PDB file of all heavy atoms in Angstrom:
ATOM      1  N   VAL B 119      -1.314  -7.380  -6.536  1.00  0.00           N
ATOM      2  CA  VAL B 119      -1.875  -6.172  -5.980  1.00  0.00           C
ATOM      3  C   VAL B 119      -2.176  -5.195  -7.043  1.00  0.00           C
ATOM      4  O   VAL B 119      -3.261  -4.580  -7.105  1.00  0.00           O
ATOM      5  CB  VAL B 119      -0.935  -5.582  -4.894  1.00  0.00           C
ATOM      6  CG1 VAL B 119      -1.396  -4.207  -4.485  1.00  0.00           C
ATOM      7  CG2 VAL B 119      -0.907  -6.513  -3.678  1.00  0.00           C
ATOM      8  N   ALA B 120      -1.214  -5.019  -7.971  1.00  0.00           N
ATOM      9  CA  ALA B 120      -1.401  -4.047  -9.049  1.00  0.00           C
ATOM     10  C   ALA B 120      -2.617  -4.406  -9.903  1.00  0.00           C
ATOM     11  O   ALA B 120      -3.440  -3.561 -10.241  1.00  0.00           O
ATOM     12  CB  ALA B 120      -0.156  -3.993  -9.922  1.00  0.00           C
ATOM     13  N   PHE B 121      -2.784  -5.676 -10.164  1.00  0.00           N
ATOM     14  CA  PHE B 121      -3.912  -6.111 -11.009  1.00  0.00           C
ATOM     15  C   PHE B 121      -5.220  -5.896 -10.235  1.00  0.00           C
ATOM     16  O   PHE B 121      -6.224  -5.447 -10.915  1.00  0.00           O
ATOM     17  CB  PHE B 121      -3.767  -7.568 -11.393  1.00  0.00           C
ATOM     18  CG  PHE B 121      -3.191  -7.737 -12.727  1.00  0.00           C
ATOM     19  CD1 PHE B 121      -1.823  -7.934 -12.875  1.00  0.00           C
ATOM     20  CD2 PHE B 121      -3.916  -7.584 -13.899  1.00  0.00           C
ATOM     21  CE1 PHE B 121      -1.251  -8.020 -14.113  1.00  0.00           C
ATOM     22  CE2 PHE B 121      -3.354  -7.690 -15.165  1.00  0.00           C
ATOM     23  CZ  PHE B 121      -1.992  -7.929 -15.265  1.00  0.00           C
ATOM     24  N   LEU B 122      -5.275  -6.179  -8.960  1.00  0.00           N
ATOM     25  CA  LEU B 122      -6.530  -5.961  -8.279  1.00  0.00           C
ATOM     26  C   LEU B 122      -6.827  -4.506  -8.176  1.00  0.00           C
ATOM     27  O   LEU B 122      -8.056  -4.104  -8.278  1.00  0.00           O
ATOM     28  CB  LEU B 122      -6.466  -6.607  -6.907  1.00  0.00           C
ATOM     29  CG  LEU B 122      -6.499  -8.127  -6.971  1.00  0.00           C
ATOM     30  CD1 LEU B 122      -6.274  -8.769  -5.620  1.00  0.00           C
ATOM     31  CD2 LEU B 122      -7.817  -8.658  -7.534  1.00  0.00           C
ATOM     32  N   ILE B 123      -5.866  -3.610  -7.971  1.00  0.00           N
ATOM     33  CA  ILE B 123      -6.131  -2.165  -7.911  1.00  0.00           C
ATOM     34  C   ILE B 123      -6.632  -1.733  -9.282  1.00  0.00           C
ATOM     35  O   ILE B 123      -7.580  -0.912  -9.435  1.00  0.00           O
ATOM     36  CB  ILE B 123      -4.883  -1.433  -7.562  1.00  0.00           C
ATOM     37  CG1 ILE B 123      -4.481  -1.674  -6.128  1.00  0.00           C
ATOM     38  CG2 ILE B 123      -5.051   0.095  -7.733  1.00  0.00           C
ATOM     39  CD1 ILE B 123      -3.230  -1.061  -5.687  1.00  0.00           C
ATOM     40  N   LEU B 124      -6.035  -2.311 -10.352  1.00  0.00           N
ATOM     41  CA  LEU B 124      -6.495  -1.979 -11.690  1.00  0.00           C
ATOM     42  C   LEU B 124      -7.947  -2.365 -11.887  1.00  0.00           C
ATOM     43  O   LEU B 124      -8.722  -1.581 -12.425  1.00  0.00           O
ATOM     44  CB  LEU B 124      -5.629  -2.777 -12.691  1.00  0.00           C
ATOM     45  CG  LEU B 124      -5.960  -2.487 -14.174  1.00  0.00           C
ATOM     46  CD1 LEU B 124      -5.506  -1.096 -14.487  1.00  0.00           C
ATOM     47  CD2 LEU B 124      -5.133  -3.470 -15.057  1.00  0.00           C
ATOM     48  N   GLU B 125      -8.384  -3.515 -11.336  1.00  0.00           N
ATOM     49  CA  GLU B 125      -9.778  -3.875 -11.457  1.00  0.00           C
ATOM     50  C   GLU B 125     -10.674  -2.853 -10.736  1.00  0.00           C
ATOM     51  O   GLU B 125     -11.728  -2.476 -11.307  1.00  0.00           O
ATOM     52  CB  GLU B 125      -9.989  -5.257 -10.863  1.00  0.00           C
ATOM     53  CG  GLU B 125     -11.420  -5.745 -11.108  1.00  0.00           C
ATOM     54  CD  GLU B 125     -11.666  -7.155 -10.722  1.00  0.00           C
ATOM     55  OE1 GLU B 125     -10.892  -7.688  -9.897  1.00  0.00           O
ATOM     56  OE2 GLU B 125     -12.666  -7.721 -11.173  1.00  0.00           O
ATOM     57  N   THR B 126     -10.237  -2.454  -9.603  1.00  0.00           N
ATOM     58  CA  THR B 126     -11.057  -1.375  -8.907  1.00  0.00           C
ATOM     59  C   THR B 126     -11.238  -0.132  -9.753  1.00  0.00           C
ATOM     60  O   THR B 126     -12.330   0.356  -9.894  1.00  0.00           O
ATOM     61  CB  THR B 126     -10.347  -1.009  -7.580  1.00  0.00           C
ATOM     62  OG1 THR B 126     -10.523  -2.054  -6.669  1.00  0.00           O
ATOM     63  CG2 THR B 126     -10.946   0.257  -7.010  1.00  0.00           C
ATOM     64  N   THR B 127     -10.138   0.263 -10.353  1.00  0.00           N
ATOM     65  CA  THR B 127     -10.217   1.545 -11.138  1.00  0.00           C
ATOM     66  C   THR B 127     -11.121   1.336 -12.358  1.00  0.00           C
ATOM     67  O   THR B 127     -11.867   2.257 -12.759  1.00  0.00           O
ATOM     68  CB  THR B 127      -8.819   2.054 -11.563  1.00  0.00           C
ATOM     69  OG1 THR B 127      -8.251   1.089 -12.362  1.00  0.00           O
ATOM     70  CG2 THR B 127      -7.974   2.385 -10.398  1.00  0.00           C
ATOM     71  N   ILE B 128     -11.030   0.148 -12.983  1.00  0.00           N
ATOM     72  CA  ILE B 128     -11.825  -0.058 -14.229  1.00  0.00           C
ATOM     73  C   ILE B 128     -13.303  -0.161 -13.878  1.00  0.00           C
ATOM     74  O   ILE B 128     -14.137   0.571 -14.487  1.00  0.00           O
ATOM     75  CB  ILE B 128     -11.356  -1.395 -14.901  1.00  0.00           C
ATOM     76  CG1 ILE B 128      -9.906  -1.251 -15.405  1.00  0.00           C
ATOM     77  CG2 ILE B 128     -12.287  -1.690 -16.077  1.00  0.00           C
ATOM     78  CD1 ILE B 128      -9.362  -2.543 -15.857  1.00  0.00           C
ATOM     79  N   ILE B 129     -13.620  -0.969 -12.904  1.00  0.00           N
ATOM     80  CA  ILE B 129     -15.054  -1.092 -12.572  1.00  0.00           C
ATOM     81  C   ILE B 129     -15.591   0.257 -12.033  1.00  0.00           C
ATOM     82  O   ILE B 129     -16.685   0.675 -12.460  1.00  0.00           O
ATOM     83  CB  ILE B 129     -15.286  -2.212 -11.500  1.00  0.00           C
ATOM     84  CG1 ILE B 129     -14.905  -3.519 -12.072  1.00  0.00           C
ATOM     85  CG2 ILE B 129     -16.709  -2.199 -11.021  1.00  0.00           C
ATOM     86  CD1 ILE B 129     -15.135  -4.675 -11.183  1.00  0.00           C
ATOM     87  N   GLY B 130     -14.791   0.955 -11.274  1.00  0.00           N
ATOM     88  CA  GLY B 130     -15.216   2.272 -10.772  1.00  0.00           C
ATOM     89  C   GLY B 130     -15.493   3.230 -11.913  1.00  0.00           C
ATOM     90  O   GLY B 130     -16.478   3.961 -11.839  1.00  0.00           O
ATOM     91  N   ALA B 131     -14.619   3.259 -12.898  1.00  0.00           N
ATOM     92  CA  ALA B 131     -14.837   4.196 -13.994  1.00  0.00           C
ATOM     93  C   ALA B 131     -16.136   3.917 -14.735  1.00  0.00           C
ATOM     94  O   ALA B 131     -16.872   4.822 -15.150  1.00  0.00           O
ATOM     95  CB  ALA B 131     -13.677   4.155 -15.023  1.00  0.00           C
ATOM     96  N   PHE B 132     -16.476   2.616 -14.936  1.00  0.00           N
ATOM     97  CA  PHE B 132     -17.671   2.316 -15.657  1.00  0.00           C
ATOM     98  C   PHE B 132     -18.941   2.580 -14.786  1.00  0.00           C
ATOM     99  O   PHE B 132     -20.053   2.782 -15.337  1.00  0.00           O
ATOM    100  CB  PHE B 132     -17.676   0.880 -16.191  1.00  0.00           C
ATOM    101  CG  PHE B 132     -16.771   0.731 -17.371  1.00  0.00           C
ATOM    102  CD1 PHE B 132     -15.712  -0.139 -17.320  1.00  0.00           C
ATOM    103  CD2 PHE B 132     -17.020   1.399 -18.519  1.00  0.00           C
ATOM    104  CE1 PHE B 132     -14.851  -0.293 -18.399  1.00  0.00           C
ATOM    105  CE2 PHE B 132     -16.176   1.265 -19.620  1.00  0.00           C
ATOM    106  CZ  PHE B 132     -15.138   0.449 -19.570  1.00  0.00           C
ATOM    107  N   CYS B 133     -18.794   2.524 -13.486  1.00  0.00           N
ATOM    108  CA  CYS B 133     -19.967   2.745 -12.612  1.00  0.00           C
ATOM    109  C   CYS B 133     -20.174   4.224 -12.205  1.00  0.00           C
ATOM    110  O   CYS B 133     -21.239   4.605 -11.820  1.00  0.00           O
ATOM    111  CB  CYS B 133     -19.819   1.991 -11.297  1.00  0.00           C
ATOM    112  SG  CYS B 133     -19.889   0.219 -11.567  1.00  0.00           S
ATOM    113  N   ALA B 134     -19.100   5.065 -12.389  1.00  0.00           N
ATOM    114  CA  ALA B 134     -19.165   6.392 -11.874  1.00  0.00           C
ATOM    115  C   ALA B 134     -20.219   7.210 -12.592  1.00  0.00           C
ATOM    116  O   ALA B 134     -20.369   7.207 -13.757  1.00  0.00           O
ATOM    117  CB  ALA B 134     -17.819   7.063 -12.063  1.00  0.00           C
ATOM    118  N   LEU B 135     -20.999   7.930 -11.778  1.00  0.00           N
ATOM    119  CA  LEU B 135     -22.040   8.811 -12.330  1.00  0.00           C
ATOM    120  C   LEU B 135     -21.699  10.259 -11.959  1.00  0.00           C
ATOM    121  O   LEU B 135     -22.549  11.104 -11.976  1.00  0.00           O
ATOM    122  CB  LEU B 135     -23.406   8.473 -11.819  1.00  0.00           C
ATOM    123  CG  LEU B 135     -24.070   7.296 -12.494  1.00  0.00           C
ATOM    124  CD1 LEU B 135     -25.526   7.198 -12.174  1.00  0.00           C
ATOM    125  CD2 LEU B 135     -23.949   7.440 -14.012  1.00  0.00           C
ATOM    126  N   ASN B 136     -20.457  10.488 -11.568  1.00  0.00           N
ATOM    127  CA  ASN B 136     -19.987  11.884 -11.396  1.00  0.00           C
ATOM    128  C   ASN B 136     -18.728  12.002 -12.266  1.00  0.00           C
ATOM    129  O   ASN B 136     -17.889  11.113 -12.208  1.00  0.00           O
ATOM    130  CB  ASN B 136     -19.698  12.155  -9.960  1.00  0.00           C
ATOM    131  CG  ASN B 136     -19.389  13.611  -9.736  1.00  0.00           C
ATOM    132  OD1 ASN B 136     -18.314  14.084 -10.224  1.00  0.00           O
ATOM    133  ND2 ASN B 136     -20.204  14.353  -9.057  1.00  0.00           N
ATOM    134  N   ALA B 137     -18.694  13.055 -13.081  1.00  0.00           N
ATOM    135  CA  ALA B 137     -17.619  13.135 -14.054  1.00  0.00           C
ATOM    136  C   ALA B 137     -16.262  13.185 -13.329  1.00  0.00           C
ATOM    137  O   ALA B 137     -15.260  12.622 -13.838  1.00  0.00           O
ATOM    138  CB  ALA B 137     -17.783  14.322 -14.956  1.00  0.00           C
ATOM    139  N   LEU B 138     -16.154  13.845 -12.177  1.00  0.00           N
ATOM    140  CA  LEU B 138     -14.888  13.913 -11.482  1.00  0.00           C
ATOM    141  C   LEU B 138     -14.486  12.495 -10.954  1.00  0.00           C
ATOM    142  O   LEU B 138     -13.369  12.066 -11.081  1.00  0.00           O
ATOM    143  CB  LEU B 138     -14.902  14.890 -10.335  1.00  0.00           C
ATOM    144  CG  LEU B 138     -13.583  15.121  -9.677  1.00  0.00           C
ATOM    145  CD1 LEU B 138     -12.581  15.797 -10.585  1.00  0.00           C
ATOM    146  CD2 LEU B 138     -13.672  15.887  -8.368  1.00  0.00           C
ATOM    147  N   LEU B 139     -15.490  11.769 -10.457  1.00  0.00           N
ATOM    148  CA  LEU B 139     -15.233  10.431  -9.979  1.00  0.00           C
ATOM    149  C   LEU B 139     -14.778   9.556 -11.154  1.00  0.00           C
ATOM    150  O   LEU B 139     -13.819   8.779 -11.002  1.00  0.00           O
ATOM    151  CB  LEU B 139     -16.549   9.941  -9.332  1.00  0.00           C
ATOM    152  CG  LEU B 139     -16.402   8.598  -8.571  1.00  0.00           C
ATOM    153  CD1 LEU B 139     -15.538   8.784  -7.339  1.00  0.00           C
ATOM    154  CD2 LEU B 139     -17.750   8.108  -8.143  1.00  0.00           C
ATOM    155  N   PHE B 140     -15.449   9.703 -12.269  1.00  0.00           N
ATOM    156  CA  PHE B 140     -15.052   8.991 -13.458  1.00  0.00           C
ATOM    157  C   PHE B 140     -13.578   9.292 -13.777  1.00  0.00           C
ATOM    158  O   PHE B 140     -12.779   8.418 -14.032  1.00  0.00           O
ATOM    159  CB  PHE B 140     -15.963   9.415 -14.656  1.00  0.00           C
ATOM    160  CG  PHE B 140     -15.471   8.869 -15.984  1.00  0.00           C
ATOM    161  CD1 PHE B 140     -15.667   7.591 -16.353  1.00  0.00           C
ATOM    162  CD2 PHE B 140     -14.786   9.690 -16.846  1.00  0.00           C
ATOM    163  CE1 PHE B 140     -15.242   7.116 -17.596  1.00  0.00           C
ATOM    164  CE2 PHE B 140     -14.336   9.230 -18.090  1.00  0.00           C
ATOM    165  CZ  PHE B 140     -14.583   7.964 -18.472  1.00  0.00           C
ATOM    166  N   TYR B 141     -13.258  10.559 -13.762  1.00  0.00           N
ATOM    167  CA  TYR B 141     -11.870  10.966 -14.121  1.00  0.00           C
ATOM    168  C   TYR B 141     -10.911  10.348 -13.104  1.00  0.00           C
ATOM    169  O   TYR B 141      -9.825   9.915 -13.510  1.00  0.00           O
ATOM    170  CB  TYR B 141     -11.791  12.536 -14.104  1.00  0.00           C
ATOM    171  CG  TYR B 141     -10.443  12.979 -14.520  1.00  0.00           C
ATOM    172  CD1 TYR B 141     -10.141  13.131 -15.878  1.00  0.00           C
ATOM    173  CD2 TYR B 141      -9.404  13.199 -13.621  1.00  0.00           C
ATOM    174  CE1 TYR B 141      -8.920  13.505 -16.291  1.00  0.00           C
ATOM    175  CE2 TYR B 141      -8.171  13.534 -14.057  1.00  0.00           C
ATOM    176  CZ  TYR B 141      -7.942  13.712 -15.377  1.00  0.00           C
ATOM    177  OH  TYR B 141      -6.675  14.084 -15.798  1.00  0.00           O
ATOM    178  N   ILE B 142     -11.232  10.340 -11.849  1.00  0.00           N
ATOM    179  CA  ILE B 142     -10.309   9.813 -10.883  1.00  0.00           C
ATOM    180  C   ILE B 142     -10.052   8.331 -11.116  1.00  0.00           C
ATOM    181  O   ILE B 142      -8.861   7.919 -11.109  1.00  0.00           O
ATOM    182  CB  ILE B 142     -10.874  10.032  -9.485  1.00  0.00           C
ATOM    183  CG1 ILE B 142     -10.756  11.554  -9.110  1.00  0.00           C
ATOM    184  CG2 ILE B 142     -10.140   9.197  -8.414  1.00  0.00           C
ATOM    185  CD1 ILE B 142     -11.389  11.925  -7.828  1.00  0.00           C
ATOM    186  N   PHE B 143     -11.075   7.578 -11.403  1.00  0.00           N
ATOM    187  CA  PHE B 143     -10.806   6.141 -11.717  1.00  0.00           C
ATOM    188  C   PHE B 143     -10.159   6.025 -13.052  1.00  0.00           C
ATOM    189  O   PHE B 143      -9.179   5.192 -13.192  1.00  0.00           O
ATOM    190  CB  PHE B 143     -12.163   5.388 -11.735  1.00  0.00           C
ATOM    191  CG  PHE B 143     -12.747   5.138 -10.422  1.00  0.00           C
ATOM    192  CD1 PHE B 143     -14.014   5.602 -10.047  1.00  0.00           C
ATOM    193  CD2 PHE B 143     -12.020   4.383  -9.470  1.00  0.00           C
ATOM    194  CE1 PHE B 143     -14.502   5.315  -8.813  1.00  0.00           C
ATOM    195  CE2 PHE B 143     -12.514   4.132  -8.224  1.00  0.00           C
ATOM    196  CZ  PHE B 143     -13.810   4.613  -7.874  1.00  0.00           C
ATOM    197  N   PHE B 144     -10.596   6.751 -14.023  1.00  0.00           N
ATOM    198  CA  PHE B 144     -10.040   6.693 -15.370  1.00  0.00           C
ATOM    199  C   PHE B 144      -8.544   6.923 -15.355  1.00  0.00           C
ATOM    200  O   PHE B 144      -7.770   6.198 -15.955  1.00  0.00           O
ATOM    201  CB  PHE B 144     -10.768   7.805 -16.171  1.00  0.00           C
ATOM    202  CG  PHE B 144     -10.320   7.998 -17.618  1.00  0.00           C
ATOM    203  CD1 PHE B 144     -10.866   7.217 -18.618  1.00  0.00           C
ATOM    204  CD2 PHE B 144      -9.473   9.041 -17.918  1.00  0.00           C
ATOM    205  CE1 PHE B 144     -10.480   7.408 -19.894  1.00  0.00           C
ATOM    206  CE2 PHE B 144      -9.129   9.224 -19.240  1.00  0.00           C
ATOM    207  CZ  PHE B 144      -9.647   8.416 -20.274  1.00  0.00           C
ATOM    208  N   GLU B 145      -8.133   8.000 -14.641  1.00  0.00           N
ATOM    209  CA  GLU B 145      -6.745   8.387 -14.625  1.00  0.00           C
ATOM    210  C   GLU B 145      -5.970   7.525 -13.598  1.00  0.00           C
ATOM    211  O   GLU B 145      -4.823   7.239 -13.824  1.00  0.00           O
ATOM    212  CB  GLU B 145      -6.672   9.829 -14.244  1.00  0.00           C
ATOM    213  CG  GLU B 145      -5.354  10.467 -14.353  1.00  0.00           C
ATOM    214  CD  GLU B 145      -5.131  11.020 -15.760  1.00  0.00           C
ATOM    215  OE1 GLU B 145      -5.734  10.442 -16.682  1.00  0.00           O
ATOM    216  OE2 GLU B 145      -4.365  11.922 -15.872  1.00  0.00           O
ATOM    217  N   GLY B 146      -6.646   7.147 -12.524  1.00  0.00           N
ATOM    218  CA  GLY B 146      -5.984   6.371 -11.533  1.00  0.00           C
ATOM    219  C   GLY B 146      -5.528   5.018 -12.046  1.00  0.00           C
ATOM    220  O   GLY B 146      -4.615   4.467 -11.586  1.00  0.00           O
ATOM    221  N   SER B 147      -6.199   4.537 -13.118  1.00  0.00           N
ATOM    222  CA  SER B 147      -5.827   3.263 -13.670  1.00  0.00           C
ATOM    223  C   SER B 147      -4.421   3.330 -14.259  1.00  0.00           C
ATOM    224  O   SER B 147      -3.827   2.269 -14.498  1.00  0.00           O
ATOM    225  CB  SER B 147      -6.801   2.859 -14.764  1.00  0.00           C
ATOM    226  OG  SER B 147      -6.715   3.729 -15.852  1.00  0.00           O
ATOM    227  N   LEU B 148      -3.924   4.509 -14.517  1.00  0.00           N
ATOM    228  CA  LEU B 148      -2.564   4.633 -15.068  1.00  0.00           C
ATOM    229  C   LEU B 148      -1.484   4.144 -14.162  1.00  0.00           C
ATOM    230  O   LEU B 148      -0.494   3.608 -14.570  1.00  0.00           O
ATOM    231  CB  LEU B 148      -2.299   6.076 -15.433  1.00  0.00           C
ATOM    232  CG  LEU B 148      -2.990   6.665 -16.671  1.00  0.00           C
ATOM    233  CD1 LEU B 148      -2.525   8.085 -16.876  1.00  0.00           C
ATOM    234  CD2 LEU B 148      -2.704   5.868 -17.874  1.00  0.00           C
ATOM    235  N   ILE B 149      -1.730   4.345 -12.846  1.00  0.00           N
ATOM    236  CA  ILE B 149      -0.651   3.958 -11.879  1.00  0.00           C
ATOM    237  C   ILE B 149      -0.375   2.463 -11.883  1.00  0.00           C
ATOM    238  O   ILE B 149       0.695   2.011 -12.169  1.00  0.00           O
ATOM    239  CB  ILE B 149      -1.001   4.452 -10.481  1.00  0.00           C
ATOM    240  CG1 ILE B 149      -1.042   5.989 -10.413  1.00  0.00           C
ATOM    241  CG2 ILE B 149       0.030   3.938  -9.437  1.00  0.00           C
ATOM    242  CD1 ILE B 149      -1.403   6.553  -9.105  1.00  0.00           C
ATOM    243  N   PRO B 150      -1.456   1.602 -11.691  1.00  0.00           N
ATOM    244  CA  PRO B 150      -1.157   0.152 -11.749  1.00  0.00           C
ATOM    245  C   PRO B 150      -0.651  -0.324 -13.088  1.00  0.00           C
ATOM    246  O   PRO B 150       0.239  -1.100 -13.182  1.00  0.00           O
ATOM    247  CB  PRO B 150      -2.494  -0.499 -11.387  1.00  0.00           C
ATOM    248  CG  PRO B 150      -3.529   0.547 -11.463  1.00  0.00           C
ATOM    249  CD  PRO B 150      -2.842   1.836 -11.255  1.00  0.00           C
ATOM    250  N   ILE B 151      -1.253   0.233 -14.173  1.00  0.00           N
ATOM    251  CA  ILE B 151      -0.852  -0.289 -15.501  1.00  0.00           C
ATOM    252  C   ILE B 151       0.575   0.155 -15.833  1.00  0.00           C
ATOM    253  O   ILE B 151       1.354  -0.576 -16.432  1.00  0.00           O
ATOM    254  CB  ILE B 151      -1.892   0.120 -16.594  1.00  0.00           C
ATOM    255  CG1 ILE B 151      -1.747  -0.773 -17.827  1.00  0.00           C
ATOM    256  CG2 ILE B 151      -1.730   1.517 -17.013  1.00  0.00           C
ATOM    257  CD1 ILE B 151      -2.343  -2.133 -17.656  1.00  0.00           C
ATOM    258  N   PHE B 152       0.961   1.331 -15.368  1.00  0.00           N
ATOM    259  CA  PHE B 152       2.365   1.724 -15.582  1.00  0.00           C
ATOM    260  C   PHE B 152       3.291   0.802 -14.881  1.00  0.00           C
ATOM    261  O   PHE B 152       4.301   0.400 -15.472  1.00  0.00           O
ATOM    262  CB  PHE B 152       2.541   3.182 -14.965  1.00  0.00           C
ATOM    263  CG  PHE B 152       3.968   3.717 -14.963  1.00  0.00           C
ATOM    264  CD1 PHE B 152       4.469   4.200 -16.165  1.00  0.00           C
ATOM    265  CD2 PHE B 152       4.725   3.671 -13.876  1.00  0.00           C
ATOM    266  CE1 PHE B 152       5.770   4.660 -16.160  1.00  0.00           C
ATOM    267  CE2 PHE B 152       6.000   4.170 -13.882  1.00  0.00           C
ATOM    268  CZ  PHE B 152       6.529   4.702 -15.029  1.00  0.00           C
ATOM    269  N   LEU B 153       2.975   0.409 -13.673  1.00  0.00           N
ATOM    270  CA  LEU B 153       3.904  -0.515 -12.947  1.00  0.00           C
ATOM    271  C   LEU B 153       3.841  -1.914 -13.577  1.00  0.00           C
ATOM    272  O   LEU B 153       4.880  -2.550 -13.678  1.00  0.00           O
ATOM    273  CB  LEU B 153       3.478  -0.575 -11.470  1.00  0.00           C
ATOM    274  CG  LEU B 153       3.741   0.682 -10.686  1.00  0.00           C
ATOM    275  CD1 LEU B 153       3.272   0.588  -9.296  1.00  0.00           C
ATOM    276  CD2 LEU B 153       5.206   1.076 -10.729  1.00  0.00           C
ATOM    277  N   ILE B 154       2.650  -2.327 -14.047  1.00  0.00           N
ATOM    278  CA  ILE B 154       2.591  -3.681 -14.628  1.00  0.00           C
ATOM    279  C   ILE B 154       3.417  -3.719 -15.904  1.00  0.00           C
ATOM    280  O   ILE B 154       4.190  -4.720 -16.079  1.00  0.00           O
ATOM    281  CB  ILE B 154       1.126  -3.998 -15.000  1.00  0.00           C
ATOM    282  CG1 ILE B 154       0.280  -4.196 -13.699  1.00  0.00           C
ATOM    283  CG2 ILE B 154       1.011  -5.204 -15.908  1.00  0.00           C
ATOM    284  CD1 ILE B 154      -1.199  -4.326 -13.889  1.00  0.00           C
TER     285      ILE B 154
END
Side-chain angles (χ1 to χ4, degrees):
Chain B
V119 169
F121 265 94
L122 289 173
I123 295 177
L124 183 66
E125 185 173 19
T126 286
T127 61
I128 294 170
I129 295 182
F132 284 119
C133 293
L135 280 191
N136 185 294
L138 186 68
L139 191 64
F140 170 79
Y141 185 84
I142 288 173
F143 284 123
F144 176 84
E145 190 86 334
S147 67
L148 287 182
I149 297 179
I151 200 77
F152 175 79
L153 292 177
I154 288 169

